[in-house]
Amino acid sequence: YNLNFQAVVSTQSTGVHDPRKANGFIVKRVKALAGQFVEHDMDNPGTYLAKHSYEGKYSVPTGYCWLEGDNPSNSTDSRKFGPVPLGLIRGRILCKLLGS
């Protein structure tokens, strides 16, 4: 997949990533790729960043990406469960279909 900053992707969810959707899928926005830094949000750092950031920054490891939802105050994403292995990415979301 052609992943870049701000791409919206679907990733396989495991119990570790989102216990409510084990073996399902979640849709999040790519905020950082391997080697890029994620800034620590002081208002909503998330449990993972609070434990693993250094001086307010976290470097995404090789083979992983950092995913965040569009609503930071109500999103279960990498701030809570950490970086996501690229192997779990299942596709890039291109559009949203609305029913009538």
Side-chain angles (χ1 to χ4, degrees), residues 6-84:
Q6 296 294 332
V8 178
V9 297
S10 174
T11 180
Q12 184 175 352
S13 176
T14 64
V16 172
H17 293 105
D18 190 350
R20 298 166 295 161
K21 298 179 182 179
N23 298 319
F25 293 91
I26 58 175
V27 175
K28 301 293 176 190
R29 189 174 303 276
V30 174
K31 287 294 188 176
L33 296 169
Q36 295 178 323
F37 286 92
V38 177
E39 297 274 338
H40 191 287
D41 181 358
M42 298 306 285
D43 295 329
N44 190 14
T47 53
Y48 189 88
L49 274 181
K51 291 180 185 177
H52 297 92
S53 64
Y54 177 73
E55 294 185 358
K57 294 183 180 181
Y58 174 80
S59 177
V60 179
T62 301
Y64 289 80
C65 64
W66 190 267
L67 304 178
E68 290 186 10
D70 289 340
N71 184 355
S73 63
N74 190 26
S75 180
T76 302
D77 52 30
S78 288
R79 289 169 298 170
K80 181 172 184 172
F81 50 72
V84 175

